[in-house]
Amino acid sequence: MVYRLWYWPTIQGRGEFVRLALEAAGLDYEDCARTMGADAMMQDLAERAKDGRGPYAPPYLALGSLAIAQVTNILQFLGQQHDLVPSNLADRYWLNQLQLTIADVVAEVHNVHHPVAMMDYYDTQAHEAARAAEQFRDQRLPKYLDHFEAAAAHGPTEWLVDHRWTYGDTSLFQLIEGLRYMFPKRMATLEPRYPALRRLHNAVAALPGIRAYLASDRRLPFNTDGIFRRYPELDAA
Amino acid sequence: MVYRLWYWPTIQGRGEFVRLALEAAGLDYEDCARTMGADAMMQDLAERAKDGRGPYAPPYLALGSLAIAQVTNILQFLGQQHDLVPSNLADRYWLNQLQLTIADVVAEVHNVHHPVAMMDYYDTQAHEAARAAEQFRDQRLPKYLDHFEAAAAHGPTEWLVDHRWTYGDTSLFQLIEGLRYMFPKRMATLEPRYPALRRLHNAVAALPGIRAYLASDRRLPFNTDGIFRRYPELDAA
């Protein structure tokens, strides 16, 4: 059984949260648009839309005629199919809740560089982005990181739940990676406050599947087409 | 067993998606902040944050020491606990996926009136909001509604899945309610294109639990403190 992952082929973006879970779990998947191109993805999407139940947008994970879209939904699906989630029901809802809060941060991060016109270029809204970035850096970001630090510090191990990694860990890893890329100055200021998150980040990076992935050309570099974008004018200590 | 729902007491906001599901299902719940006030909610939140696993923000649903936050997570929890979701696993993931896409629209709607500074007043960003509203009305909104129309038109009944309502139906109802309040001109233009969504909206309004709820004072009116806000300058046909 090989999963077919469909996501934009030149960016990490939202698809990276799925790629990391697949890689950490050692699951077989084809990153289809990277071999077949984005046009093939748009054709696949259009085909799946015909019965009224297609994904709204990539990323989506396909297994035959079944297509699961929305990052949080995909991660929940993978977790349940491959025993990658806690057995305790309360822990599962907690994990899903945390992933949804990560998704909220990701949406806010995108909004920082596209505050007024999601479909237009950054250059057309750089002035507005500067204002959005200031409040995100100073107010929103520390509040979110405080929340995640408390979650990471909760248990007896480096993991969010029990004694093994879950998709919540790989997603927090990616969030920190992205924030370090986008806001290097601000993160240098903030990170000393978050030892549990740093420990979790290191633990994910050391997972065999993740270590191999990060060293491979399957891991795309961050760039200014993705969700986390380095525009130096949006960063400050 | 009585659920304790915690959400801001003077707005529909994100909490309304939870209220509607509870009301449609006829489940007992106390809308705690409406009787005890927002200060009591902040105290409850602070108390629950102590073990590192509290909600990031309202709404959340509490049952003793268990607290489930994030609308999509709460709805999934209620659906699974009270047999309000399809028995078929693919249908369940589809429903969760649709709810996540609804949550994306809700976040974009909030961004329309708060594009550059989520924590500041609308008046400080009305100019930027006008630009955000234009692209939302003209490009984003029809694309989302096309997607939901296809979903609503999919099955043999007025419901999204099979022959009975799910939280996806109550959430689409609320989305349409909110959009009609916020963008009356634009929705008057668009709605004739979406007969299946209109049929679904009417079917939800006619559910006994919802009919009783909408006629009660438990249903708060829309206002310009919530997520859907009527600023006439942001609307156009």
Side-chain angles (χ1 to χ4, degrees):
Chain A
M1 186 199 65
V2 178
Y3 286 116
R4 294 167 79 85
L5 172 67
W6 287 98
Y7 192 64
W8 303 107
T10 57
I11 60 170
Q12 291 188 18
R14 287 183 169 83
E16 197 66 13
F17 294 93
V18 181
R19 291 185 184 120
L20 285 166
L22 289 164
E23 295 278 352
L27 296 169
D28 270 343
Y29 73 103
E30 185 181 348
D31 202 341
C32 297
R34 291 197 68 188
T35 49
M36 293 183 251
D39 286 349
M41 180 166 74
M42 299 320 284
Q43 280 171 26
D44 189 77
L45 256 182
E47 193 61 40
R48 291 179 190 277
K50 283 181 182 164
D51 79 344
R53 283 200 171 191
Y56 179 74
Y60 59 98
L61 194 71
L63 197 62
S65 65
L66 180 69
I68 311 270
Q70 286 276 6
V71 169
T72 307
N73 198 40
I74 299 169
L75 294 176
Q76 199 173 43
F77 171 82
L78 287 174
Q80 291 176 0
Q81 295 296 308
H82 300 283
D83 191 27
L84 302 172
V85 284
S87 52
N88 179 294
L89 206 63
D91 285 342
R92 288 193 190 203
Y93 284 110
W94 160 248
L95 191 60
N96 190 48
Q97 176 177 320
L98 195 86
Q99 183 65 43
L100 287 161
T101 306
I102 294 170
D104 286 346
V105 189
V106 170
E108 286 194 34
V109 162
H110 190 272
N111 192 62
V112 163
H113 50 76
H114 276 75
V116 289
M118 200 178 284
M119 322 288 283
D120 299 346
Y121 286 108
Y122 167 71
D123 292 344
T124 71
Q125 52 200 308
H127 182 71
E128 293 86 347
R131 185 170 165 202
E134 187 181 357
Q135 190 170 85
F136 181 80
R137 283 192 321 262
D138 294 351
Q139 297 184 49
R140 307 290 297 175
L141 180 56
K143 194 177 168 209
Y144 276 122
L145 292 178
D146 286 352
H147 179 73
F148 296 134
E149 173 71 12
H154 167 81
T157 73
E158 64 270 48
W159 309 117
L160 287 167
V161 182
D162 297 342
H163 54 279
R164 61 174 188 161
W165 74 272
T166 62
Y167 61 76
D169 298 293
T170 49
S171 292
L172 279 180
F173 165 86
Q174 177 65 6
L175 182 66
I176 293 165
E177 289 277 296
L179 291 169
R180 284 179 180 173
Y181 170 73
M182 185 164 171
F183 300 107
K185 291 179 188 168
R186 184 63 178 148
M187 286 299 280
T189 300
L190 292 175
E191 282 208 38
R193 301 184 201 168
Y194 303 120
L197 281 179
R198 291 169 65 98
R199 184 179 68 161
L200 181 154
H201 177 275
N202 289 339
V204 171
L207 288 170
I210 297 296
R211 204 169 54 230
Y213 173 61
L214 296 177
S216 76
D217 61 6
R218 298 193 301 287
R219 171 76 162 184
L220 294 160
F222 284 106
N223 59 44
T224 48
D225 293 319
I227 287 181
F228 297 99
R229 301 189 184 188
R230 180 173 292 173
Y231 296 123
E233 63 274 23
L234 301 185
D235 191 21
Chain B
M1 184 201 66
V2 178
Y3 285 116
R4 295 167 78 84
L5 172 66
W6 287 97
Y7 191 63
W8 303 107
T10 57
I11 61 170
Q12 291 188 19
R14 286 185 169 82
E16 197 66 12
F17 294 94
V18 181
R19 292 186 183 117
L20 285 166
L22 288 164
E23 296 276 353
L27 295 170
D28 271 343
Y29 73 102
E30 186 183 348
D31 203 340
C32 297
R34 291 197 67 187
T35 49
M36 292 184 253
D39 286 349
M41 180 167 74
M42 298 320 285
Q43 280 170 26
D44 189 77
L45 256 181
E47 193 60 40
R48 291 179 191 278
K50 284 181 182 164
D51 78 345
R53 282 199 171 191
Y56 179 74
Y60 60 98
L61 193 72
L63 197 63
S65 65
L66 180 70
I68 311 269
Q70 285 277 5
V71 170
T72 307
N73 198 39
I74 299 170
L75 293 176
Q76 199 173 43
F77 171 81
L78 287 174
Q80 291 176 359
Q81 295 296 309
H82 300 283
D83 191 26
L84 303 172
V85 284
S87 52
N88 180 294
L89 206 63
D91 285 341
R92 288 192 189 203
Y93 283 111
W94 160 248
L95 191 60
N96 190 47
Q97 176 178 320
L98 194 85
Q99 183 66 44
L100 287 161
T101 306
I102 294 170
D104 286 346
V105 189
V106 170
E108 286 193 36
V109 162
H110 190 272
N111 193 62
V112 163
H113 50 75
H114 277 74
V116 289
M118 198 177 287
M119 322 289 284
D120 298 346
Y121 287 109
Y122 167 71
D123 292 345
T124 70
Q125 50 200 309
H127 181 73
E128 293 87 345
R131 185 170 164 202
E134 186 181 359
Q135 190 170 84
F136 181 79
R137 284 193 319 262
D138 294 351
Q139 297 184 49
R140 307 291 296 176
L141 180 56
K143 194 177 168 210
Y144 277 122
L145 292 178
D146 287 352
H147 179 72
F148 295 135
E149 172 71 11
H154 167 80
T157 72
E158 63 270 49
W159 308 117
L160 287 167
V161 182
D162 296 342
H163 55 279
R164 60 173 190 162
W165 73 273
T166 62
Y167 62 76
D169 298 293
T170 50
S171 293
L172 279 179
F173 165 85
Q174 177 64 7
L175 182 65
I176 293 165
E177 288 278 294
L179 291 168
R180 284 179 181 173
Y181 169 74
M182 185 164 169
F183 300 107
K185 292 179 187 168
R186 185 61 178 149
M187 286 298 280
T189 301
L190 291 175
E191 281 208 39
R193 301 184 201 169
Y194 303 120
L197 281 179
R198 291 168 66 98
R199 184 179 67 160
L200 181 154
H201 177 275
N202 290 338
V204 170
L207 287 170
I210 297 296
R211 203 169 54 228
Y213 174 61
L214 296 178
S216 76
D217 61 5
R218 298 193 301 287
R219 172 76 162 183
L220 295 159
F222 283 106
N223 59 44
T224 47
D225 293 320
I227 286 179
F228 297 100
R229 302 189 183 189
R230 180 172 291 173
Y231 296 122
E233 64 273 23
L234 301 184
D235 190 21

